[in-house]
């Protein structure tokens, strides 16, 4: 019996703490921001204000609430989506006025993202938890009604299914 208690104590000590989970989520966040920035610069996005300083992204994330980080991910995703639209060369891109509202909605659950006004009829998926290794890479663009997976709040969380919803902006 004492050996079982020692094993249990060792397992408890090895379990990730909330602080460790936040660090993992911040690693995901920083990597995602670096990816957005590198891709935006490759596409020569006008007005792009992101940067590729991993440590600055990571440190910022550590000082924020998970909700604030999630909002930042959504905001940067929308900015990157606008950049991609402009880079496409579409004549409508010159208007610079988003024409679509997008939102992610949990399938069979109560979670919803914010509603974001964007220039394309596609949902960009790149939030922390959308890439948790090569077998869990759900990043990309999705059309209205498309369903994908996500680990809300980071890779340490359970997988949920989310649906892209797109409506014409007024």
């Amino acid at each position: 019996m004492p050996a079982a208690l020692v094993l249990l104590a060792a397992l408890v000590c090895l379990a990730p703490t909330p602080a460790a989970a936040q660090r993992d989520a911040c690693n995901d966040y920083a990597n995602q921001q670096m990816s957005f920035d590198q891709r935006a610069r490759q596409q020569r996005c006008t007005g792009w204000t992101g940067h590729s300083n991993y440590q600055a992204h990571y440190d910022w994330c550590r000082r924020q609430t998970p909700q604030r980080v999630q909002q930042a991910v959504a905001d940067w995703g929308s900015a990157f989506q606008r950049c991609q639209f402009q880079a496409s060369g579409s004549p409508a891109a010159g208007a610079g006025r988003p024409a679509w509202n997008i939102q992610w909605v949990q399938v069979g659950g109560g979670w919803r993202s914010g509603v974001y006004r964007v220039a394309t009829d596609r949902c960009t998926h790149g939030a922390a938890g959308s890439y948790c290794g090569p077998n869990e890479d759900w990043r990309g663009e999705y059309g209205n009604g498309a369903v994908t997976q996500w680990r809300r709040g980071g890779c340490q969380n359970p997988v949920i299914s989310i649906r892209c919803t797109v409506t014409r902006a007024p």
Side-chain angles (χ1 to χ4, degrees), residues 66-158:
Q67 294 80 12
R68 175 65 186 107
V69 172
Q70 185 177 2
Q71 183 62 51
V73 166
D75 292 346
W76 281 106
S78 293
F80 182 68
Q81 200 166 37
R82 283 190 298 276
C83 159
Q84 287 182 307
F85 183 66
Q86 290 169 347
S88 73
S90 165
R97 190 170 150 223
W100 303 95
N101 289 328
I102 62 168
Q103 182 178 40
W104 288 103
V105 178
Q106 182 179 3
V107 176
W111 179 83
R112 294 174 176 272
S113 73
V115 175
Y116 301 98
R117 195 173 163 113
V118 296
T120 65
D121 62 346
R122 314 274 302 160
C123 296
T124 299
H125 186 39
S130 62
Y131 177 82
C132 296
N135 295 327
E136 291 189 359
D137 187 355
W138 303 300
R139 297 174 294 182
E141 291 187 4
Y142 295 85
N144 188 38
V147 175
T148 189
Q149 306 299 305
W150 184 40
R151 290 183 181 267
R152 182 175 171 214
C155 294
Q156 72 281 3
N157 293 324

